[in-house]
Structure formats: C-alpha cells, structure tokens
Amino acid sequence: MTSDEVLAEFRAAGALMEGHFILSSGLRSPLFIQKMRVFEDPARTERLCRALADVIRDRFGEVDLVVSPAMGGIIPGYETARALGCRAVFVEREAGEFQLRRGFEIKPGERVVIVEDIVTTGLSSRECIEAVRKHPGTLLGEGCLIDRSGGKADLGLPLVSLCTLDIPAYAEDALPPELAAIPAIKPGSRGLAA
C-alpha cells in the first residue's frame, strides 16, 4: 500500500481534519488525524493493518507478539497481530506508568514488535518500549500506520510506517499568523501532557 493509498483511506473515513488543533502534547497543528474514524470501519482497518503487517514482516521477519499502548493502539495492534498470525497484548497505565496487566506476559525468546496508530512525538512509544523492556523477549522495533513526525521521532529502535508525514507543530506562543487567526480546538481523547 502506497502513502497516497493510506492517506486516501484516512480521507475517505473523514479522519484528516484541517484547522487549528491543540495536540495532547500541548503543541498546535493545522492538521489533526482522527484515527478512530478509520477504526470504526472494520474492512478499512483490516486493509491498513494487513499492509502494516507486510511492512513489519519485511523489516523484522517473523513476529511472535504485538504489544500496543492502550487505548489508541489496541485496535491496530490486534488487527496487525491477526495479519501476522501472532498474539496481541497491550500495556495500560497504572500509577502513571505503562505496564502489562490482565495476566498478559512476554515469554522468553518471543520476538516482539510494538504497534501504534499514529506516532507524533514518540512519547507514548518510548513509554511502551520502557514497559516492554522489563520483560523477557526480543524487542525488534515498532510499526505504525502514520509517522506524523516526518521521521524525526527518536524511539531508540527502528520504526516502520505505512506513511510518513511532516506535519508542522508549533508552541502556542510561536504560531504562524494564519494559524493564530483560527480558533483552536482540542479534538483528541487525551488531556494535555503535564
């Protein structure tokens, strides 16, 4: 699947929004990706995650386990694991830190890949990586549907994506005039990062 085909799937779902958006990092952006609009369509989600599984397999080889961060990574993680023919688990926050819960485990020798929906700054990815590294297994890298950092997010391990975008993000006090002229909205599900 090409980058243009990936973006066409997001556009068709109404998931690419233009305006003035406040990201969970507190930064401002003229483009917001409402990925849950993609995930409400199981056929679209399956197509995208099957393509991501192909990219992951090409880069990392066989995978035994996909780990995703809750909440946004659960659906693409599950669908990508299904396409890879492996297990899927997720980490969730407990006392402010990502942890495996619900009896989930990473077994010794398992080849593990983290799957995210969208990577922006890489913060949740790095937190997920930190949680996974507390367990046995071999962490191979990460895959995501869209890397909106333009390839700049430093995860400390290889990142593959279906599409890489370089979407500008600005501090509130450094907005370009055309963005400052538009009222800001916070469309995401998470509050602002502390």
Side-chain angles (χ1 to χ4, degrees):
M1 185 176 274
T2 67
S3 289
D4 288 341
E5 290 169 330
V6 172
L7 292 176
E9 291 280 8
F10 276 76
R11 280 190 191 95
L16 288 178
M17 301 165 53
E18 293 184 39
H20 179 178
F21 303 101
I22 303 171
L23 305 175
S24 59
S25 65
L27 296 174
R28 307 297 181 94
S29 179
L31 185 68
F32 187 79
I33 303 171
Q34 184 57 274
K35 67 243 176 192
M36 295 314 285
R37 294 300 312 270
V38 169
F39 301 149
E40 69 184 351
D41 181 340
R44 176 173 282 119
T45 302
E46 189 271 335
R47 282 192 300 276
L48 288 163
C49 292
R50 183 173 5 98
L52 181 57
D54 290 342
V55 171
I56 288 170
R57 193 178 291 110
D58 287 348
R59 175 65 196 272
F60 301 117
E62 290 303 311
V63 175
D64 301 309
L65 177 66
V66 166
V67 179
S68 297
M71 183 76 199
I74 293 175
I75 293 172
Y78 175 85
E79 272 300 312
T80 303
R82 189 164 72 94
L84 288 167
C86 69
R87 291 186 313 120
V89 300
F90 56 89
V91 294
E92 56 192 311
R93 292 194 190 280
E94 184 174 274
E97 289 185 17
F98 276 137
Q99 298 182 36
L100 287 175
R101 299 180 60 209
R102 304 172 192 267
F104 292 152
E105 64 180 333
I106 300 173
K107 299 173 186 166
E110 281 191 307
R111 295 172 53 85
V112 180
V113 170
I114 293 171
V115 170
E116 278 259 35
D117 44 17
I118 312 293
V119 170
T120 302
T121 64
L123 176 61
S124 66
S125 295
R126 288 188 298 275
E127 291 175 332
C128 186
I129 290 164
E130 185 179 322
V132 169
R133 286 188 168 148
K134 294 177 183 175
H135 299 272
T138 302
L139 183 53
L140 304 171
E142 179 169 333
C144 67
L145 297 174
I146 296 179
D147 173 3
R148 69 168 276 157
S149 79
K152 296 179 210 128
D154 181 10
L155 307 184
L157 52 80
L159 172 66
V160 297
S161 67
L162 289 182
C163 180
T164 300
L165 299 175
D166 194 2
I167 301 171
Y170 307 96
E172 183 178 5
D173 61 357
L175 296 175
E178 64 275 10
L179 195 58
I182 303 169
I185 61 171
K186 172 75 178 86
S189 61
R190 290 193 305 181
L192 298 177

